[in-house]
Amino acid sequence: MGLDKFQPDSTQLITARFKTRPTKQWGVSREFNRRMKKRFDELGVEVPTGSMQLIVGGNHPDRALAEALSQGS
């Protein structure tokens, strides 16, 4: 029923509770998420997304940086 917690990976957990008819909970949940996303977009709130960059072999310019980071230097 509000912002429940901030998580270390920049994720915010929002908790809500609704009363629905049997088997209608999934549609209600999707509609709530749709409205929440629409309102976030209106307010300019960005939803964090995870990403990963994988560099395999070759002479990519970022390879030296990736190797240095993986060695902790």
Side-chain angles (χ1 to χ4, degrees), residues 50-71:
S51 65
M52 177 190 300
Q53 181 179 15
L54 178 62
I55 301 170
V56 179
N59 293 322
H60 192 278
D62 290 336
R63 185 171 183 202
L65 176 60
E67 288 174 357
L69 291 173
S70 69
Q71 295 172 4

Side-chain angles (χ1 to χ4, degrees), residues 15-30:
T15 304
R17 184 178 298 176
F18 301 95
K19 278 193 173 205
T20 69
R21 293 184 176 169
T23 73
K24 300 294 184 185
Q25 67 269 28
W26 307 118
V28 170
S29 177
R30 283 191 298 274

Side-chain angles (χ1 to χ4, degrees), residues 2-27:
L3 181 60
D4 205 35
K5 68 175 144 175
F6 287 98
Q7 295 177 294
D9 60 355
S10 299
T11 300
Q12 293 82 36
L13 177 63
I14 298 173
T15 304
R17 184 178 298 176
F18 301 95
K19 278 193 173 205
T20 69
R21 293 184 176 169
T23 73
K24 300 294 184 185
Q25 67 269 28
W26 307 118

Side-chain angles (χ1 to χ4, degrees), residues 37-48:
K37 175 70 170 109
K38 181 180 176 189
R39 186 65 177 141
F40 278 10
D41 289 346
E42 291 169 357
L43 296 172
V45 176
E46 293 186 25
V47 177

